[in-house]
Amino acid sequence: MDIMTGAGLVAGTIVIATLMLLGGSFGIFVSDHAVIIIFGGSISATMIRFPLGAILHGLPLGAKFAFTMSRLSARDLVDELARIAEIARKQGPVGLEKVETDEPFLAKGIRYVADGYDLEFIRDNLERDRDNFLMHLDEGSKIYRAIGDCAPAFGMIGTLIGMVQMFANMTDPSKLGPYMAVALLATFYGAAVANLVCLPIADKLHLKLVDEEINRTLIIDGVLMIRDSKSPTLVREMLLAYLPEKHRLEEEAETVPA
Amino acid sequence: MDIMTGAGLVAGTIVIATLMLLGGSFGIFVSDHAVIIIFGGSISATMIRFPLGAILHGLPLGAKFAFTMSRLSARDLVDELARIAEIARKQGPVGLEKVETDEPFLAKGIRYVADGYDLEFIRDNLERDRDNFLMHLDEGSKIYRAIGDCAPAFGMIGTLIGMVQMFANMTDPSKLGPYMAVALLATFYGAAVANLVCLPIADKLHLKLVDEEINRTLIIDGVLMIRDSKSPTLVREMLLAYLPEKHRLEEEAETVPA
Amino acid sequence: MDIMTGAGLVAGTIVIATLMLLGGSFGIFVSDHAVIIIFGGSISATMIRFPLGAILHGLPLGAKFAFTMSRLSARDLVDELARIAEIARKQGPVGLEKVETDEPFLAKGIRYVADGYDLEFIRDNLERDRDNFLMHLDEGSKIYRAIGDCAPAFGMIGTLIGMVQMFANMTDPSKLGPYMAVALLATFYGAAVANLVCLPIADKLHLKLVDEEINRTLIIDGVLMIRDSKSPTLVREMLLAYLPEKHRLEEEAETVPA
Amino acid sequence: MDIMTGAGLVAGTIVIATLMLLGGSFGIFVSDHAVIIIFGGSISATMIRFPLGAILHGLPLGAKFAFTMSRLSARDLVDELARIAEIARKQGPVGLEKVETDEPFLAKGIRYVADGYDLEFIRDNLERDRDNFLMHLDEGSKIYRAIGDCAPAFGMIGTLIGMVQMFANMTDPSKLGPYMAVALLATFYGAAVANLVCLPIADKLHLKLVDEEINRTLIIDGVLMIRDSKSPTLVREMLLAYLPEKHRLEEEAETVPA
Amino acid sequence: MDIMTGAGLVAGTIVIATLMLLGGSFGIFVSDHAVIIIFGGSISATMIRFPLGAILHGLPLGAKFAFTMSRLSARDLVDELARIAEIARKQGPVGLEKVETDEPFLAKGIRYVADGYDLEFIRDNLERDRDNFLMHLDEGSKIYRAIGDCAPAFGMIGTLIGMVQMFANMTDPSKLGPYMAVALLATFYGAAVANLVCLPIADKLHLKLVDEEINRTLIIDGVLMIRDSKSPTLVREMLLAYLPEKHRLEEEAETVPA
């Protein structure tokens, strides 16, 4: 669980709800107009903009990954892979069948090794899985960014529609207020959806894409070494050498020198 | 048929129509002012901006390709080309005359082979066709983007004209409303044309440009191999090796690991 | 004549004039305030921004080239050069003196050859002319873009001045309308000048720069080959080989495959 | 102490306070609405956008470094390192134990040398420290920029909420003023936080990142030379040769020729 | 003297003054509020953004160079250097002591030669001067751009403060006008300072940076050749060969072919 995404969304909702309550009731902020134009408009533009496959895979994958976290950091993965290499060396492929791991992608690789597939098959399959996954995560990030970019525009369109109706039907100037309030809600919804949800999620998915690429490449390398019956020490050392500086530093991260 | 483009346009129209109906009637949103300035202004600026040839070819080609889809994915194309290579090997050039295919560009290549043109002539002609086509598709994408960029500006110009007329002729403040409504319609039209039609189509054409380049290059390579009487197995293997990762993965796309 | 630029400007003017007339009279759109601030402000900022030489050469050259077109396409130029090579071979330098051509830059090169200047002198002079010309055309494109970027800002400045005067002198709220109309005119003028004139012209000049570079380089190469008494066939073949793909395709452009 | 950051913040506060007092009292500018939406919204979006580790380390490190300055310029550092090299040569590692220096990172390096650690260990540790530190400083700069980018958007969201409440509850138009004042405060807070605090600090941190990278690399190189018992003259010469032009010029900076 | 910068500023001032006078008096445009927020805010943000050294050197150097011009074009410099080389050859270093030149940087180089310093010393000193100077000119350009970017934001902040005060104290709606006028002045000042002064000057400084780099490098090369007692003809030829195309073309610039 990536608690920060959920916490941020909850905090943002509380902030906006507080402001609404401070000034009266929630009721005046409920607007079917605004919901229809922001979500309807963004969905329509996204349908035109992206192929169906990208939307069907990228959107839910993005939503899922914004809230989940790699259960294991790159450094933990190295330890996990060394542990499994130890088991593989002591008990052979049979021992691997009983190995349990939280990381589904790693579990898949271990299963391939336990089932005795050859090196080429395992590499091809895992690399295809990884590239496929990264492609959809990238599509997800781009779709959230596209929605974050067009939601405020649809908010403005909604407000314009509301204002045209208000001005066109205006007979009694004293009734202008409530109409105006409704019209402004579309702009408000669009700005909130973009700045509180879509754009931050698109940024987060972009960061996760980088991490997942490192982790999954690490897993593929490790699994292939286990398939080759490399010693646990060698597995650990070679994988650590592959790690980019940033991840090798993870342990020191608590003690920032200044 | 690329159903998504049409579906997105229809959905967007429904969304906006719903909002209009919720607030009254369509009538108040009909504005010859707005239509004249958005379309007249965008067309004028596009006439100055692009050469006549680019407009005449790029605009309709873009409109056509936003709604159509490559009938065959890159992977299907490989299968199709392997199938045709099979026929060519069994029945010779004569057999090719009876081959039917949905892809006009492939059909053209096959016809060249069936007619017995030499390799150089076929390569030159097909490459010229492909480059010519990609150039016009790129021009189309750029024209839609240019219109999407200037339509909101012409919307603002239309609204400014309307407001100047309103303020200049204002004798009775109570009549300000309807005038204001008409003035705002130009901004509304400009924002809707840009965000719901032109910018998403420009984005989609850009994505299609990449796909078409891959597909047509694949077809040229395949047709030339068939002209060379290569074996179907070799055709399939070599074309698959040319495919970028993304397209080789197409079959796995349904099973996204997480 | 590049008819499109003129046609676009005329069309844009008609569109805006139509909108003005639909809402009343032209009179209310005449504003010395707006003219002074948009043109005065843009000219002042441009004077600070660019050296005098760039303004004096780039601005009129840009204006001229936005409306004129290379009389000859790259392909026509190759034919023209081959025709002249034919004459040069049959009648010698004397024949070149009678050659007439619409392209002044080509005419200059032919005159050099007819006058018997040596290869180095001709190359140096023509290349210097070409680079000098391209530099000024590039400056012209940049100046139009700079004006297109700052005109809306000066429009806003003009409107702010008008609104400050309106609010400061406001004694009778009923007179607010006409003042407001005048103030908005500056924003209108700025947006129209930028979006209908300056930015499209800057884009068009940028495209022409690319074409002119190709054409003039072609002419230099051709003239030097004629000076070297190369055969017309060789001139045609070598120049066609130099042409970028796009220009070689010009003839096929009518038949866009899809 | 980087006096400029503090001075700029104090000056900015005085400027805004002066403007507030010129027009009345501070009281009307106190708005819990605005504080909640600007800080609550920015914090929420930042929580979603960045991983927890980046926020916990980058934000305070950025705040600290915006106000502190490298006690020593690159040139002073070279002198300091030469001085320490002198001590190390005369008194050996024992003498280093008594060396005092203002730069904590240098002090750490000297302690390693005094404690007799081997070259590899010292290099690894110091480089890890440096990279770790630069990574967090970069995260800090990015977080401040992200807040500076989204604060105005949340200001607009706050103003929209206020205006919706104002219009919805509007019964007496004469009360519109104070409500409007409160609504505008959110936009004001957002613009002030972004333009006076976050964006300038993000820019400054980016400049400091470059300086710190040079200084810490210089210290690592110098400490390693001291560990190798290089002569003070050699240390000074080699380090000066490493310095980028800009820092070598520091002494001349007072006499700008024109 | 770079007359264009001064002329542009004067023209801009006249344009704005004309507009003010056409609508009444100057008095209503005098606003201590606006002056305080635009200049105070921009100075505060600049203090945080840039190190003190950059501000102290870059800002006045930028102001000076926006109004001055290289007394000599690159081509004139070559002539001047050839003239001095002639003197040096005929009269030896003694003759150089009497040489007078308008360009201070050249004068400095000549003095070094006349004083008999060796080649290395002269090269080091002049290159350090040149790099130091270019660094400060670049800082100057960046500071003017940063001010041009934040001035409109502080204008908006000033207007927001004014509007909050207006709405908060609003008891008599008829007094709203003058308050509004004062509030808008801050936005006006910010837009004028940015678009008429800071951004054009930043652009001009950027262009001058390129010219100065060419000229000063030319002077260094020329002075070193004079120190080496090269013949005037060789000096002229070698320096002309160094000149980028653009500057070699300067003489032809009057005759733009079309």
Side-chain angles (χ1 to χ4, degrees):
Chain A
M1 266 299 288
D2 184 348
I3 271 182
M4 293 298 283
T5 309
L9 286 176
V10 169
T13 313
I14 291 175
V15 162
I16 286 185
T18 309
L19 236 70
M20 290 176 173
L21 284 178
L22 280 179
S25 65
F26 275 126
I28 54 172
F29 288 96
V30 176
S31 165
D32 47 353
H33 271 65
V35 172
I36 290 170
I37 188 71
I38 298 298
F39 291 95
S42 299
I43 291 170
S44 304
T46 304
M47 281 167 76
I48 302 176
R49 202 164 254 137
F50 295 97
L52 185 58
I55 299 177
L56 286 187
H57 292 121
L59 209 63
L61 188 70
K64 185 178 166 194
F65 260 76
F67 288 98
T68 51
M69 217 159 183
S70 275
R71 271 128 304 219
L72 300 166
S73 73
R75 214 153 219 285
D76 291 342
L77 266 180
V78 174
D79 292 340
E80 182 86 353
L81 283 162
R83 184 178 69 83
I84 295 172
E86 185 77 37
I87 295 172
R89 218 168 57 149
K90 284 199 187 134
Q91 312 174 13
V94 187
L96 288 180
E97 282 178 18
K98 285 170 259 158
V99 166
E100 298 212 338
T101 176
D102 287 343
E103 180 69 44
F105 188 70
L106 175 54
K108 190 176 192 179
I110 298 302
R111 209 171 54 241
Y112 281 153
V113 178
D115 291 353
Y117 287 109
D118 69 2
L119 207 76
E120 272 315 297
F121 175 87
I122 298 179
R123 185 205 307 276
D124 277 8
N125 265 274
L126 292 183
E127 287 189 347
R128 202 171 294 181
D129 266 19
R130 179 199 59 189
D131 293 346
N132 201 5
F133 167 77
L134 293 177
M135 184 184 80
H136 286 301
L137 197 54
D138 185 45
E139 283 171 356
S141 172
K142 279 180 186 153
I143 292 174
Y144 280 98
R145 187 166 310 281
I147 297 177
D149 284 344
C150 75
F154 284 107
M156 198 189 75
I157 289 176
T159 295
L160 284 167
I161 293 178
M163 285 172 73
V164 167
Q165 292 169 336
M166 173 184 82
F167 283 124
N169 299 320
M170 187 172 75
T171 45
D172 181 2
S174 71
K175 284 184 184 160
L176 196 140
Y179 273 104
M180 193 72 200
V182 171
L184 286 178
L185 281 177
T187 298
F188 162 64
Y189 275 52
V193 164
N195 288 292
L196 210 51
V197 183
C198 293
L199 293 179
I201 284 182
D203 281 352
K204 169 154 270 181
L205 289 180
H206 187 75
L207 285 179
K208 292 214 166 160
L209 186 65
V210 178
D211 281 355
E212 285 294 330
E213 185 163 18
I214 292 167
N215 282 6
R216 297 201 170 204
T217 304
L218 202 72
I219 289 175
I220 294 175
D221 290 338
V223 165
L224 292 179
M225 284 196 245
I226 293 169
R227 176 69 187 73
D228 254 5
S229 311
K230 293 272 193 293
S231 85
T233 324
L234 192 68
V235 167
R236 177 191 300 276
E237 253 172 49
M238 288 187 67
L239 292 181
L240 278 181
Y242 290 178
L243 274 189
E245 195 64 12
K246 182 190 155 189
H247 291 269
R248 241 182 295 164
L249 294 170
E250 255 156 27
E251 273 163 307
E252 275 80 17
E254 294 88 59
T255 56
V256 184
Chain B
M1 266 298 288
D2 184 347
I3 270 181
M4 293 298 283
T5 308
L9 286 176
V10 169
T13 312
I14 291 175
V15 162
I16 287 186
T18 309
L19 236 70
M20 289 175 173
L21 284 178
L22 280 179
S25 64
F26 276 127
I28 54 172
F29 289 97
V30 176
S31 164
D32 46 354
H33 271 66
V35 171
I36 292 171
I37 188 72
I38 299 297
F39 292 95
S42 299
I43 291 169
S44 303
T46 304
M47 281 167 76
I48 302 176
R49 203 164 255 136
F50 295 98
L52 184 58
I55 299 176
L56 286 187
H57 293 120
L59 209 63
L61 188 69
K64 185 179 167 194
F65 260 76
F67 288 98
T68 51
M69 216 160 183
S70 273
R71 272 128 303 220
L72 300 166
S73 74
R75 215 153 218 285
D76 291 342
L77 266 180
V78 174
D79 292 341
E80 182 87 354
L81 283 162
R83 184 177 68 83
I84 295 171
E86 186 76 36
I87 295 172
R89 219 169 55 151
K90 283 196 187 139
Q91 313 175 11
V94 187
L96 289 179
E97 282 178 18
K98 287 170 258 158
V99 166
E100 298 211 337
T101 176
D102 287 344
E103 180 69 44
F105 188 70
L106 175 54
K108 189 177 192 180
I110 297 302
R111 210 171 53 240
Y112 282 153
V113 177
D115 292 353
Y117 288 108
D118 68 2
L119 206 75
E120 272 316 295
F121 175 88
I122 298 179
R123 185 207 305 279
D124 277 8
N125 266 273
L126 292 183
E127 288 189 347
R128 203 171 293 182
D129 266 18
R130 178 198 60 188
D131 294 346
N132 201 4
F133 167 77
L134 293 178
M135 184 184 80
H136 286 301
L137 197 53
D138 185 45
E139 282 171 356
S141 173
K142 279 180 185 153
I143 291 173
Y144 280 96
R145 187 166 310 281
I147 296 177
D149 284 344
C150 75
F154 285 107
M156 198 189 75
I157 289 175
T159 295
L160 283 168
I161 293 178
M163 286 172 72
V164 167
Q165 292 170 336
M166 172 184 81
F167 283 124
N169 299 321
M170 186 171 75
T171 44
D172 181 2
S174 70
K175 284 183 184 160
L176 197 140
Y179 274 104
M180 193 71 200
V182 171
L184 286 179
L185 280 177
T187 298
F188 162 64
Y189 275 52
V193 165
N195 288 291
L196 209 53
V197 184
C198 292
L199 293 178
I201 284 182
D203 281 352
K204 169 155 270 182
L205 289 179
H206 188 75
L207 285 178
K208 292 215 166 160
L209 185 65
V210 178
D211 280 355
E212 284 296 329
E213 184 164 18
I214 291 167
N215 281 6
R216 298 203 169 203
T217 305
L218 203 72
I219 289 175
I220 294 175
D221 290 338
V223 165
L224 293 179
M225 283 196 247
I226 291 170
R227 175 69 186 74
D228 254 5
S229 311
K230 293 271 192 293
S231 86
T233 323
L234 191 68
V235 166
R236 176 190 300 277
E237 253 173 48
M238 287 188 68
L239 291 181
L240 277 181
Y242 291 176
L243 274 189
E245 195 64 11
K246 183 191 155 190
H247 291 268
R248 242 182 293 165
L249 293 171
E250 255 155 28
E251 273 162 308
E252 275 80 16
E254 294 87 60
T255 57
V256 185
Chain C
M1 265 299 289
D2 184 347
I3 270 182
M4 292 299 282
T5 309
L9 286 177
V10 169
T13 312
I14 290 174
V15 162
I16 287 186
T18 309
L19 237 70
M20 290 175 173
L21 284 179
L22 280 178
S25 64
F26 276 127
I28 54 172
F29 288 97
V30 176
S31 164
D32 46 354
H33 271 65
V35 172
I36 292 170
I37 188 71
I38 299 298
F39 292 94
S42 299
I43 291 170
S44 304
T46 304
M47 282 167 75
I48 303 177
R49 203 164 254 137
F50 294 97
L52 183 59
I55 299 177
L56 286 187
H57 293 120
L59 210 62
L61 187 70
K64 182 177 168 195
F65 261 76
F67 288 98
T68 52
M69 217 161 183
S70 273
R71 271 129 302 219
L72 300 165
S73 74
R75 215 152 219 285
D76 292 342
L77 266 179
V78 173
D79 292 341
E80 181 88 354
L81 283 162
R83 184 178 67 84
I84 295 172
E86 186 77 35
I87 296 173
R89 218 167 57 148
K90 283 196 186 140
Q91 314 175 10
V94 185
L96 290 180
E97 282 178 20
K98 286 170 257 155
V99 167
E100 298 211 338
T101 176
D102 287 343
E103 180 69 45
F105 188 70
L106 175 54
K108 189 177 192 179
I110 298 303
R111 210 172 53 242
Y112 282 153
V113 177
D115 292 353
Y117 287 109
D118 70 0
L119 206 76
E120 272 315 296
F121 175 88
I122 298 178
R123 184 206 307 279
D124 277 9
N125 265 273
L126 291 182
E127 288 188 347
R128 202 171 293 182
D129 266 19
R130 179 198 60 190
D131 294 346
N132 200 5
F133 166 77
L134 294 177
M135 184 184 80
H136 286 300
L137 197 54
D138 185 45
E139 283 170 355
S141 172
K142 279 180 185 153
I143 292 173
Y144 280 97
R145 188 165 310 279
I147 297 177
D149 285 343
C150 74
F154 284 107
M156 198 189 75
I157 289 175
T159 296
L160 284 168
I161 293 178
M163 285 172 73
V164 167
Q165 292 170 336
M166 172 184 81
F167 283 124
N169 299 320
M170 186 172 76
T171 45
D172 180 2
S174 71
K175 285 184 184 158
L176 198 138
Y179 274 104
M180 194 69 200
V182 171
L184 286 179
L185 280 177
T187 298
F188 162 64
Y189 275 53
V193 164
N195 288 292
L196 209 53
V197 183
C198 292
L199 293 179
I201 284 183
D203 281 352
K204 169 154 269 182
L205 289 180
H206 188 76
L207 285 179
K208 292 215 166 159
L209 186 65
V210 178
D211 281 356
E212 285 294 329
E213 185 164 16
I214 291 167
N215 282 6
R216 299 203 168 202
T217 305
L218 203 71
I219 289 175
I220 294 175
D221 290 337
V223 164
L224 293 180
M225 283 196 246
I226 292 169
R227 173 71 186 71
D228 255 5
S229 311
K230 293 269 192 295
S231 86
T233 323
L234 190 70
V235 166
R236 176 191 300 277
E237 253 172 49
M238 288 187 69
L239 292 181
L240 277 181
Y242 291 178
L243 275 188
E245 195 63 13
K246 183 191 155 190
H247 291 269
R248 241 182 295 165
L249 294 170
E250 255 154 29
E251 273 163 307
E252 275 81 16
E254 294 87 61
T255 58
V256 185
Chain D
M1 267 297 290
D2 185 346
I3 270 182
M4 293 298 283
T5 309
L9 286 176
V10 169
T13 313
I14 290 175
V15 162
I16 287 187
T18 308
L19 236 69
M20 290 175 173
L21 284 178
L22 281 179
S25 64
F26 276 127
I28 55 172
F29 288 96
V30 176
S31 164
D32 46 354
H33 271 64
V35 172
I36 290 171
I37 188 71
I38 299 297
F39 292 95
S42 298
I43 291 170
S44 304
T46 305
M47 282 167 75
I48 302 175
R49 203 165 253 136
F50 295 96
L52 185 57
I55 299 176
L56 286 187
H57 293 120
L59 209 62
L61 187 70
K64 185 176 166 196
F65 260 76
F67 288 99
T68 52
M69 217 160 184
S70 274
R71 271 130 303 221
L72 300 165
S73 74
R75 216 154 217 284
D76 291 342
L77 266 180
V78 173
D79 291 340
E80 181 87 352
L81 283 162
R83 185 178 67 84
I84 295 172
E86 184 77 37
I87 296 174
R89 217 168 58 149
K90 283 199 186 133
Q91 312 176 11
V94 187
L96 290 179
E97 282 176 21
K98 285 171 256 155
V99 166
E100 298 211 338
T101 176
D102 286 344
E103 181 67 46
F105 188 69
L106 175 55
K108 190 177 191 178
I110 298 302
R111 210 171 54 241
Y112 281 154
V113 178
D115 292 354
Y117 287 109
D118 69 1
L119 207 75
E120 272 315 297
F121 175 88
I122 298 178
R123 185 205 307 277
D124 278 8
N125 265 275
L126 292 183
E127 287 188 347
R128 202 171 295 181
D129 266 20
R130 179 199 58 190
D131 293 346
N132 200 5
F133 166 78
L134 294 177
M135 183 184 81
H136 286 301
L137 196 53
D138 185 44
E139 284 171 355
S141 173
K142 279 180 185 154
I143 292 174
Y144 280 96
R145 187 166 310 279
I147 297 178
D149 284 343
C150 75
F154 285 108
M156 198 189 74
I157 290 176
T159 295
L160 283 168
I161 293 179
M163 285 172 73
V164 168
Q165 291 169 337
M166 173 183 80
F167 283 124
N169 298 319
M170 187 172 74
T171 45
D172 181 2
S174 71
K175 284 183 185 160
L176 199 139
Y179 273 105
M180 195 68 200
V182 170
L184 287 179
L185 281 177
T187 298
F188 162 63
Y189 275 53
V193 164
N195 288 292
L196 209 52
V197 183
C198 292
L199 294 178
I201 284 182
D203 282 351
K204 169 154 270 181
L205 289 179
H206 188 75
L207 284 180
K208 293 215 166 160
L209 187 64
V210 177
D211 281 355
E212 286 293 330
E213 186 162 17
I214 292 167
N215 282 6
R216 299 203 169 203
T217 304
L218 202 72
I219 289 175
I220 294 176
D221 289 337
V223 164
L224 292 180
M225 284 196 245
I226 292 170
R227 175 70 186 73
D228 255 5
S229 312
K230 292 271 192 294
S231 85
T233 324
L234 191 69
V235 166
R236 177 190 300 275
E237 254 172 48
M238 289 187 66
L239 292 181
L240 278 182
Y242 291 176
L243 275 188
E245 194 65 12
K246 181 189 156 190
H247 291 269
R248 241 182 294 164
L249 294 170
E250 255 156 28
E251 274 163 306
E252 275 79 15
E254 293 89 58
T255 56
V256 185
Chain E
M1 266 299 289
D2 185 346
I3 270 182
M4 293 298 283
T5 309
L9 286 176
V10 169
T13 312
I14 290 174
V15 162
I16 287 186
T18 309
L19 237 69
M20 289 175 174
L21 285 178
L22 281 178
S25 64
F26 275 128
I28 53 172
F29 289 97
V30 176
S31 164
D32 46 354
H33 271 65
V35 172
I36 291 171
I37 188 71
I38 299 298
F39 292 95
S42 298
I43 291 170
S44 304
T46 304
M47 281 167 75
I48 302 176
R49 204 164 252 138
F50 294 97
L52 184 58
I55 299 177
L56 286 186
H57 293 120
L59 209 61
L61 188 70
K64 184 176 166 194
F65 261 76
F67 288 98
T68 53
M69 218 162 183
S70 274
R71 269 129 303 219
L72 301 165
S73 73
R75 213 150 220 286
D76 292 341
L77 267 180
V78 173
D79 292 341
E80 180 88 353
L81 283 162
R83 184 179 66 84
I84 295 172
E86 185 77 36
I87 296 173
R89 217 169 56 150
K90 283 197 187 138
Q91 314 175 10
V94 186
L96 290 179
E97 280 177 20
K98 286 170 256 157
V99 166
E100 298 212 338
T101 176
D102 286 345
E103 180 68 44
F105 187 70
L106 174 55
K108 190 178 191 177
I110 298 302
R111 211 171 53 241
Y112 281 154
V113 178
D115 292 353
Y117 288 109
D118 69 1
L119 207 77
E120 271 315 296
F121 175 88
I122 298 178
R123 185 206 307 279
D124 277 9
N125 265 274
L126 292 183
E127 287 189 348
R128 201 171 294 179
D129 266 19
R130 178 198 60 191
D131 293 346
N132 200 6
F133 166 78
L134 293 177
M135 184 184 81
H136 286 301
L137 197 53
D138 185 44
E139 284 171 354
S141 173
K142 279 180 186 154
I143 291 174
Y144 280 97
R145 188 166 309 280
I147 296 177
D149 284 343
C150 74
F154 285 107
M156 198 189 76
I157 289 176
T159 296
L160 284 168
I161 293 179
M163 286 172 72
V164 168
Q165 292 170 337
M166 173 184 80
F167 283 123
N169 298 320
M170 186 172 75
T171 45
D172 181 2
S174 71
K175 285 183 185 159
L176 200 139
Y179 273 104
M180 195 68 200
V182 171
L184 287 179
L185 280 177
T187 298
F188 162 63
Y189 275 53
V193 164
N195 288 292
L196 209 53
V197 183
C198 292
L199 293 179
I201 284 183
D203 281 352
K204 169 153 269 183
L205 289 180
H206 188 75
L207 285 179
K208 292 215 166 159
L209 186 65
V210 178
D211 280 356
E212 285 293 330
E213 185 163 17
I214 292 168
N215 281 6
R216 298 202 170 205
T217 304
L218 202 72
I219 289 175
I220 294 175
D221 289 338
V223 164
L224 293 180
M225 283 195 246
I226 292 170
R227 174 71 185 73
D228 254 5
S229 312
K230 293 270 193 292
S231 84
T233 324
L234 190 70
V235 166
R236 176 190 302 274
E237 253 172 49
M238 288 187 68
L239 292 181
L240 278 182
Y242 290 178
L243 275 189
E245 194 65 13
K246 182 191 155 190
H247 291 269
R248 241 180 296 165
L249 294 171
E250 255 155 30
E251 273 163 307
E252 275 79 18
E254 293 88 59
T255 57
V256 184

